[in-house]
Amino acid sequence: MGFPNDSGNPGFFPLFLQVTCNCFTISNGEMQDVGVGLYPSMSLLNHSCDPNCVIVFEGYQLLLRSVREIQIGEELTISYIESLVPTSERQKQLMRQYCFECDCLLCQNQEKDAEKLAGEEHAWKEVKDAVNEVRYPKSKEEWEQILARCQNLLSSNTGRLPDTNIYQLKMLDCAMDACINLESWEEALYYGSRTLGPYRLYYPGFHPLRAVQLMRVGKLQYSQDMFPQALETLKQAYNIMKVTHGADHSLMQALMEIKEQCEAVLYRAYALYRTVIIMPLLDSDVPHHANRNAGLLEKEKEEKIKTIIKWFIISKSRRDENTPSEELRKESLDISLLPCLSVKYF
Ligand SMILES: [Zn+2]
């Protein structure tokens, strides 16, 4: 085995190139790279930086899924590379790794390149170097070092780099990962929430990375008892993931499980809200109750809401025993009826 030799035998090198050009990076449920594999029929797919299909994995099984309507005869495309980087970098990477020049619409228009590199150049270059240096940490101490570096850079770049700058975005992602590994849930949610706007900008429509990011943020909100917000975030993840992963995917099953748990807690809270606040008010039509309820004081209302919240928090630790009854499920739940629950107390 070796590089091309004088005898005319092409040797190993062309074969090596063919393999590296046709390999697929296998990712886990959270879209983290875990290996590479050869899937010969999939190697026939051409590249577009704005493709009509995506590839997701279920274990080692590769799933090709369409993410928009495809006309009869239209070519199926996938993106060979990370589409987040600006046009010139995508072009360089495609030439280096796959030996071709991309002329897709995104490359022609250089769309969103300005946003991707917004902010002070020397600041994002420093962040870019720092992000590129990160290797997957193996210990708690290494995660702590990474988090400290992220915190330093993020605070020193306040006002100099918007979160839409892709290197700043990568740094926020990195800080979120570090916090999750160090079990600093509140801080993880803080960084994760900041990434959602840029993710929406760069991964519009149906993109698996956005679905996974929404799911991660939704789980963090759920773990911190922010149930209405968690439900909203998980619903957004669900709407994208049913296209990018499909209903049978294990990640989708996990998402549906946590979404249902979140709904169950909210159904219970709503039921209690009805019993304590709404029903007494409806009873006010009855003269006997009129005086008592017509003047339900704001302070009194607040006390009752606090009681609900307490119950709500306690029920969280026992939520398995508190799944809603069928009867309760049939009642339509309008989260907007819970303004006091959604913002003020969570
Ligand atoms: Zn392109």
Side-chain angles (χ1 to χ4, degrees), residues 70-228:
I70 296 170
Q71 305 301 319
I72 295 171
E74 189 184 338
E75 184 184 15
L76 301 183
T77 52
I78 54 170
S79 179
Y80 293 175
I81 54 166
E82 184 191 18
S83 55
L84 188 63
V85 292
T87 307
S88 62
E89 284 213 29
R90 291 199 309 274
Q91 295 279 4
K92 261 190 242 164
Q93 199 184 335
L94 288 168
M95 184 53 82
R96 193 174 58 231
Q97 211 172 331
Y98 300 96
C99 310
F100 74 88
E101 208 170 290
C102 182
D103 65 348
C104 76
L105 263 181
L106 219 62
C107 285
Q108 284 173 33
N109 303 337
Q110 308 197 351
E111 214 181 292
K112 294 179 190 160
D113 277 6
E115 288 105 314
K116 287 178 178 181
L117 299 180
E120 293 177 25
E121 189 172 343
H122 65 274
W124 65 249
K125 282 193 164 161
E126 190 187 3
V127 174
K128 181 183 177 183
D129 291 342
V131 169
N132 287 339
E133 274 170 26
V134 173
R135 296 288 169 266
Y136 199 82
K138 293 180 183 67
S139 65
K140 191 172 174 240
E141 288 69 31
E142 282 179 22
W143 276 119
E144 279 167 350
Q145 285 166 9
I146 287 180
L147 180 59
R149 180 108 171 90
C150 291
Q151 285 165 333
N152 272 341
L153 280 166
L154 286 168
S155 70
S156 64
N157 288 328
T158 307
R160 297 156 81 197
L161 286 184
D163 290 349
T164 47
N165 179 295
I166 56 166
Y167 301 111
Q168 170 91 346
L169 181 58
K170 283 173 187 234
M171 179 117 302
L172 288 168
D173 255 335
C174 187
M176 180 192 186
D177 280 345
C179 290
I180 289 174
N181 278 280
L182 295 168
E183 300 183 8
S184 304
W185 309 119
E186 205 176 322
E187 200 178 344
L189 177 58
Y190 168 70
Y191 295 126
S193 302
R194 282 176 63 177
T195 67
L196 292 185
Y199 265 73
R200 193 172 47 239
L201 172 68
Y202 296 129
Y203 304 116
F206 300 102
H207 198 291
L209 283 177
R210 187 162 159 234
V212 168
Q213 190 75 351
L214 283 162
M215 182 175 172
R216 296 174 84 205
V217 171
K219 276 164 76 176
L220 286 167
Q221 288 169 329
Y222 178 78
S223 73
Q224 285 162 70
D225 299 341
M226 300 165 70
F227 301 110

Side-chain angles (χ1 to χ4, degrees), residues 274-321:
R274 269 179 63 95
T275 312
V276 181
I277 306 288
I278 308 278
M279 295 315 281
L281 289 175
L282 292 178
D283 278 351
S284 65
D285 289 344
V286 183
H288 173 70
H289 290 128
N291 289 339
R292 181 164 61 87
N293 292 305
L296 191 65
L297 298 169
E298 281 303 308
K299 197 169 161 30
E300 194 182 341
K301 252 194 224 171
E302 198 159 309
E303 281 309 309
K304 288 187 176 184
I305 291 169
K306 278 181 187 164
T307 313
I308 299 178
I309 306 299
K310 258 188 226 153
W311 180 89
F312 203 28
I313 303 297
I314 295 163
S315 78
K316 181 183 168 286
S317 57
R318 292 187 263 130
R319 75 168 61 96
D320 291 344
E321 302 155 27

